[in-house]
Amino acid sequence: MIYNNHILLTYNNIYRAVDKCGRMIPVPYNSIVCAAAAGGAREPLFRNPSASASASVYLLQFNCNRRRINTNNRRNNNNNFMDSNNNMRTESYLRHVDSRKLMPNGAGHIPHLKAVILGEALASEEDDLVLPSKEFSDQANVHSPEQYMEMYKRSIEDPDGFWSEIASQFYWKQKWGEKVCDENFDVRDGKIKIEWFKGGITNVCYNCLDRNIEAGLGDKVALYWEGNEPGLDGSLTYSQLLNQVCQVANYLKDIGVKKGDAVIVYLPMINELPITMLACARIGAVHSVVFAGFSAESLAQRITDCKPKAVITCNAVRRGTKPILLKDIVDAAINDSAKDGVSVDVCLVYDNPVALKREDTKWTQGRDIWWQDVIPKYPSTCPVEWVDAEDPLFLLYTSGSTGKPKGVLHTTGGYMVYTATTFKYAFDYKPSDIYWCTADCGWITGHSYVTYGPLLNGATVLVYEGAPNYPDAGRCWDIVDKYKVSIFYTAPTLVRSLMRDGEAVRYLYALMFTVYLCEIDLRINAFGFWIRYVTRYSRKSLRVLGSVGEPINPSAWRWFYNVVGDSRCPISDTWWQTETGGFMITPLPGAWAQKPGSATFPFFGIQPVIVDEKGVEIDGECSGYLCIKKSWPGAFRTLYGDHERYETTYFKPFAGYYFSGDGCRRDKDGYHWLTGRVDDVINVSGHRIGTAEVESALVSHPQCAEAAVVGVEHEVKGQGIYAFVTLVDSVPYSEDLRKDLILTVRKQIGAFAAPDKIHWAPGLPKTRSGKIMRRILRKIAARQLDELGDTSTLADPNVVKQLIELSDS
Ligand code: WTA
């Protein structure tokens, strides 16, 4: 039985067991049967199966030795959070609620507070607030709303002073010029320009490695590496990492890579990926990491766009049981880009014998070189190329609303200062932390929060090569225990898939319960232990959890909080984008209460505004388009080779603001709730995919005449890809063709962009001017057929009826 996400299966025997222990047992919902053990009770939970006739199942709220704040909960009247009129009155109340009046953007008094305190109770559906405990706040980098407000206020009123003070903690060969920030954020005033610390001379690699080593961290582990196969692992201290980075940097220089040259990196999650990024940064080269799940065609498109001096890859990798032949993909991509006139002279290949033997790797003499054959021969020291704060650091391609990916360009100084600062505060980073971010370095999260942000702070980072559910759904927690991970940062899609595996366990427990009631002892309890994917691991080391990539739905939030974090760990739900470089709206875990599913308040220096469709700012409680006023150090500076697209996409929709492409609601307390993309971008498992990219892949199939792609709600992935496809005349619908269309998308973009559903469409709903009415398609995809609205303006209203008829074909 489930109540408020908590389960208590109990009948007479159980009551006695609980009484004997003098307390009730908190039971995460995937561990019903073993709850007794978890709570220290020695007696079996189902000791007397024959009592089944009188067995009753009670729904209880766990309350034992855990305090709970709930204005509706009379049982708490004797605790010190409530006065006789059932009003909040304690230090905690004052600390977290009263001071919230100070919060930015219309935050105000919370009239009806239902809350729990970190570490003291499970969060239930009734709770709309999770307050940090005093212990957590006391040790936190930002420990109160007042401290946040003071810092936030300064960051807005005196951004130059605020950021230059932080920037001074890094090494600058030469200090920046007079202006800390120089910007034009308004298209009406001319070209958009963002510059931070211009004239300052520095190097990000130096600040990540040499500076930390000089500060005494040389022997501290910088990178732990955990391979796909359990038992395969490694580690590098800061000094060892620097040596390896220098060897790669020397090699790159030797093959002619110079400051400003692009290098494409197509590597899996092995240490050599951050090593390569840092090596590029050391010599002023611009890395462009391409997620090693992109297809040859996508990779070719990126090679053609940025014309790299070298491509760095690996012969193959195993994720789960599946080997992925990366070198074959790179070969095909280099062939493709050559046809477009861009040739690649050097392809450095890391030999990964676990996935593929050297002799089985296809090879192009003269162009391909084994990493292991050359890199160790180079010296392990390499002078730093000092660069301007506004020199480019990296290019990262991301999806937009056209078929052509955008080369988001980040520069050096502002990005360095911003990623380091956001990392430190949003995760409440302490030098003793072991930090694990499950993102791949092929995405922005892996740039800012696997590589640069943590290493700039001298943190110990875990890099995991494999799939999160390999060999089973407990792997993440196995890794957490093995390395004593204290900060765990992941995506809601992973949380939901692990939660779903927990659900499977729940059904199994229900079955076991029935079996016990039938007096059949199948001794499946031991088996049950193995499939308790989360609770069979201790996870005691966890301190802070993080979420990124898409809105985290409140039920996944609660599961993450209650089950994974044992209701002890705050969750930093960080909203940001490839373009923003670092966190924009994020909890500061010790500072204020969280609301499950809300990214809460802006980070220092960030002024989020919600505007209506005319671009007018809306105050207080509202919904609209999320924009940002004023620049911040980590902002991207342009789209590579296309500044006009940069302005048109981000600065023209609402003049005077950066437009995020996201919808947002602000509640009466000033909390921000991201509601998803409002443009033609879908967010699948936290990966951004442009509908136009998928459509153009589909129509490249000779039998596809037209395609329209929309996002549809998906239980695990957040959003799924739903494609309406019109075939060329007289081609019949067939299962083979459906598979072939999906394969075409996999080949052109990558497996992660494969449509979940192909819906045959004899015609598409279009206006008389030929525009596809996606609104109607979204409703049909979501089966919200009574919400189709007015279809009379369509050029041919009959197509809607046809589409509905073909819905389940
Ligand atoms: C979405 C990933 C809600 C959002 C860092 C944004 C989020 C897009 C969150 C950027 C969050 C990211 N809550 N939505 N905490 N974080 N998003 O560029 O739609 O891959 O615009 O950067 O992800 O995706 P990107």
Side-chain angles (χ1 to χ4, degrees):
M1 291 300 250
I2 306 162
Y3 179 62
N4 292 341
N5 268 356
H6 318 153
I7 307 156
L8 186 60
L9 275 180
T10 179
Y11 55 115
N12 299 341
N13 288 346
I14 311 307
Y15 262 134
R16 279 200 292 277
V18 171
D19 285 348
K20 257 190 241 167
C21 298
R23 60 181 176 181
M24 293 193 198
I25 303 155
V27 191
Y29 72 57
N30 63 352
S31 56
I32 304 168
V33 172
C34 297
R42 304 234 169 248
E43 290 173 69
L45 211 53
F46 302 103
R47 202 181 44 176
N48 181 6
S50 61
S52 59
S54 61
S56 48
V57 178
Y58 290 86
L59 301 175
L60 290 182
Q61 201 151 356
F62 301 108
N63 198 23
C64 47
N65 55 354
R66 299 176 162 224
R67 273 180 301 175
R68 173 174 198 83
I69 308 173
N70 189 333
T71 47
N72 295 332
N73 192 344
R74 297 277 158 185
R75 281 174 301 172
N76 283 322
N77 269 354
N78 57 357
N79 76 31
N80 61 352
F81 292 105
M82 323 290 283
D83 66 17
S84 53
N85 295 323
N86 214 20
N87 289 324
M88 309 295 297
R89 66 156 186 220
T90 64
E91 193 196 318
S92 285
Y93 161 63
L94 290 173
R95 203 158 52 87
H96 297 293
V97 182
D98 244 0
S99 53
R100 199 184 311 261
K101 287 175 191 157
L102 301 169
M103 289 294 182
N105 291 318
H109 183 61
I110 297 180
H112 182 68
L113 177 69
K114 286 182 273 174
V116 292
I117 291 185
L118 199 67
E120 299 193 352
L122 298 166
S124 77
E125 270 158 34
E126 277 183 353
D127 298 316
D128 38 33
L129 282 174
V130 177
L131 285 81
S133 61
K134 187 165 180 333
E135 297 71 42
F136 192 96
S137 291
D138 284 351
Q139 61 81 57
N141 295 333
V142 180
H143 50 77
S144 66
E146 291 88 343
Q147 188 192 352
Y148 162 75
M149 269 317 291
E150 201 180 296
M151 291 172 76
Y152 180 77
K153 208 161 165 268
R154 165 130 199 261
S155 73
I156 301 302
E157 288 170 1
D158 174 24
D160 289 8
F162 181 87
W163 288 112
S164 56
E165 233 167 65
I166 294 177
S168 309
Q169 295 159 20
F170 294 92
Y171 179 80
W172 299 81
K173 183 96 183 142
Q174 181 186 305
K175 209 178 163 216
W176 49 92
E178 273 183 16
K179 284 190 175 163
V180 174
C181 169
D182 192 8
E183 71 176 26
N184 173 32
F185 224 57
D186 194 330
V187 272
R188 293 165 299 195
D189 298 336
K191 201 174 159 193
I192 296 293
K193 174 177 98 170
I194 302 171
E195 286 177 352
W196 282 81
F197 311 110
K198 176 104 179 144
I201 305 292
T202 188
N203 182 291
V204 181
C205 175
Y206 183 89
N207 275 291
C208 285
L209 304 179
D210 311 56
R211 184 182 58 104
N212 282 323
I213 293 167
E214 278 157 32
L217 299 185
D219 294 333
K220 180 174 178 179
V221 173
L223 299 177
Y224 278 123
W225 178 76
E226 169 79 5
N228 179 60
E229 294 304 322
L232 205 60
D233 53 26
S235 68
L236 288 175
T237 63
Y238 269 85
S239 298
Q240 290 167 335
L241 178 59
L242 175 62
N243 292 347
Q244 297 211 8
V245 165
C246 286
Q247 289 183 316
V248 178
N250 282 321
Y251 166 77
L252 290 174
K253 282 210 300 199
D254 206 24
I255 60 165
V257 178
K258 294 193 192 60
K259 182 181 165 196
D261 287 342
V263 173
I264 287 255
V265 187
Y266 190 73
L267 281 170
M269 284 298 277
I270 52 180
N271 281 346
E272 284 64 24
L273 177 45
I275 288 172
T276 305
M277 293 162 78
L278 290 161
C280 291
R282 190 163 193 89
I283 61 169
V286 182
H287 58 72
S288 182
V289 184
V290 179
F291 170 57
F294 272 109
S295 66
E297 289 183 35
S298 296
L299 179 58
Q301 205 174 17
R302 286 150 174 81
I303 292 174
T304 309
D305 195 60
C306 76
K307 303 174 188 59
K309 272 278 165 64
V311 173
I312 302 183
T313 188
C314 174
N315 53 351
V317 67
R318 256 178 213 283
R319 263 178 76 81
T321 52
K322 220 172 59 188
I324 306 163
L325 303 179
L326 299 178
K327 175 64 169 40
D328 283 3
I329 296 172
V330 171
D331 286 348
I334 293 179
N335 283 343
D336 268 13
S337 62
K339 287 185 205 139
D340 288 330
V342 177
S343 63
V344 172
D345 298 333
V346 180
C347 180
L348 182 67
V349 187
Y350 185 82
D351 181 6
N352 189 12
V354 180
L356 185 69
K357 288 200 209 113
R358 246 188 205 220
E359 53 272 27
D360 295 337
T361 307
K362 290 193 198 107
W363 208 246
T364 303
Q365 285 301 340
R367 182 198 72 189
D368 300 345
I369 298 149
W370 287 111
W371 174 295
Q372 284 89 335
D373 286 356
V374 285
I375 300 296
K377 294 185 185 149
Y378 280 86
S380 57
T381 57
C382 172
V384 169
E385 179 79 37
W386 298 106
V387 299
D388 191 282
E390 280 304 330
D391 281 337
L393 176 65
F394 67 84
L395 252 183
L396 183 58
Y397 288 88
T398 187
S399 295
S401 46
T402 72
K404 189 173 181 277
K406 302 179 282 195
V408 168
L409 184 100
H410 282 283
T411 56
T412 301
Y415 177 84
M416 171 174 82
V417 171
Y418 197 69
T419 51
T421 314
T422 44
F423 175 81
K424 173 178 165 185
Y425 288 111
F427 294 134
D428 188 44
Y429 171 71
K430 302 284 153 45
S432 55
D433 279 318
I434 309 285
Y435 167 77
W436 180 22
C437 165
T438 62
D440 191 289
C441 286
W443 308 106
I444 188 69
T445 309
H447 284 64
S448 302
Y449 301 108
V450 173
T451 311
Y452 293 113
L455 294 179
L456 284 162
N457 280 281
T460 297
V461 181
L462 174 73
V463 173
Y464 174 48
E465 177 189 44
N469 54 0
Y470 178 77
D472 67 31
R475 183 69 187 277
C476 286
W477 323 121
D478 181 35
I479 295 174
V480 163
D481 282 0
K482 175 172 171 184
Y483 295 93
K484 305 274 175 292
V485 170
S486 55
I487 305 175
F488 178 70
Y489 186 37
T490 193
T493 182
L494 181 68
V495 174
R496 283 192 297 264
S497 80
L498 297 175
M499 180 174 156
R500 186 195 50 186
D501 292 331
E503 297 275 309
V505 175
R506 204 170 82 205
Y507 294 125
L508 198 103
Y509 277 126
L511 178 75
M512 288 160 69
F513 177 57
T514 317
V515 168
Y516 268 105
L517 291 183
C518 297
E519 295 188 58
I520 310 166
D521 178 4
L522 289 180
R523 299 188 187 279
I524 49 180
N525 221 343
F527 177 60
F529 172 79
W530 288 109
I531 47 137
R532 272 187 294 124
Y533 293 122
V534 187
T535 52
R536 78 171 186 241
Y537 297 101
S538 137
R539 292 159 288 110
K540 283 277 177 293
S541 55
L542 288 174
R543 207 170 67 77
V544 176
L545 303 173
S547 163
V548 60
E550 50 173 314
I552 178 161
N553 45 312
S555 65
W557 195 103
R558 287 189 191 96
W559 183 83
F560 201 23
Y561 174 83
N562 288 335
V563 180
V564 175
D566 274 336
S567 78
R568 285 180 296 107
C569 311
I571 299 175
S572 282
D573 174 7
T574 59
W575 176 79
W576 61 297
Q577 306 176 298
T578 306
E579 293 85 344
T580 70
F583 305 150
M584 301 292 280
I585 302 182
T586 174
L588 297 184
W592 56 69
Q594 298 184 22
K595 294 193 183 189
S598 164
T600 72
F601 298 108
F603 191 73
F604 305 128
I606 304 303
Q607 297 186 58
V609 293
I610 297 180
V611 301
D612 63 15
E613 53 295 345
K614 294 201 183 82
V616 178
E617 274 184 42
I618 329 174
D619 284 332
E621 197 178 346
C622 62
S623 289
Y625 302 101
L626 180 61
C627 291
I628 310 289
K629 213 166 56 178
K630 297 275 193 199
S631 77
W632 60 99
F636 68 140
R637 306 306 200 239
T638 190
L639 291 179
Y640 181 67
D642 203 347
H643 199 72
E644 198 182 320
R645 189 177 179 193
Y646 173 71
E647 295 183 341
T648 311
T649 313
Y650 301 101
F651 295 92
K652 284 193 183 154
F654 302 108
Y657 304 103
Y658 162 76
F659 173 46
S660 68
D662 275 337
C664 184
R665 179 170 73 81
R666 191 169 48 216
D667 70 16
K668 60 189 187 312
D669 307 315
Y671 281 73
H672 292 82
W673 301 78
L674 278 300
T675 51
R677 302 286 308 190
V678 291
D679 53 9
D680 292 327
V681 171
I682 356 184
N683 206 325
V684 181
S685 298
H687 301 151
R688 267 164 76 168
I689 297 166
T691 53
E693 283 176 87
V694 183
E695 285 162 8
S696 86
L698 286 168
V699 295
S700 73
H701 190 286
Q703 290 173 321
C704 173
E706 202 172 8
V709 167
V710 296
V712 66
E713 208 175 299
H714 189 285
E715 202 190 331
V716 173
K717 297 196 236 174
Q719 277 191 301
I721 300 179
Y722 196 111
F724 292 86
V725 171
T726 306
L727 297 177
V728 295
D729 273 350
S730 72
V731 172
Y733 306 136
S734 75
E735 206 41 44
D736 283 348
L737 182 52
R738 198 191 296 264
K739 285 186 190 142
D740 210 32
L741 284 163
I742 294 174
L743 194 67
T744 304
V745 181
R746 291 172 77 100
K747 272 173 63 187
Q748 286 201 18
I749 307 176
F752 63 93
D756 296 279
K757 166 92 184 166
I758 301 276
H759 186 137
W760 301 123
L764 292 169
K766 290 182 186 165
T767 59
R768 290 194 188 102
S769 60
K771 192 170 168 280
I772 296 174
M773 299 275 281
R774 282 168 200 279
R775 177 182 57 79
I776 293 177
L777 293 178
R778 277 189 210 105
K779 295 290 176 199
I780 295 174
R783 304 288 185 272
Q784 292 165 341
L785 302 180
D786 47 348
E787 295 172 26
L788 290 175
D790 183 12
T791 53
S792 62
T793 54
L794 292 175
D796 178 7
N798 272 332
V799 294
V800 174
K801 198 164 145 259
Q802 286 176 331
L803 285 177
I804 295 171
E805 279 166 9
L806 284 167
S807 277
D808 298 312
S809 66

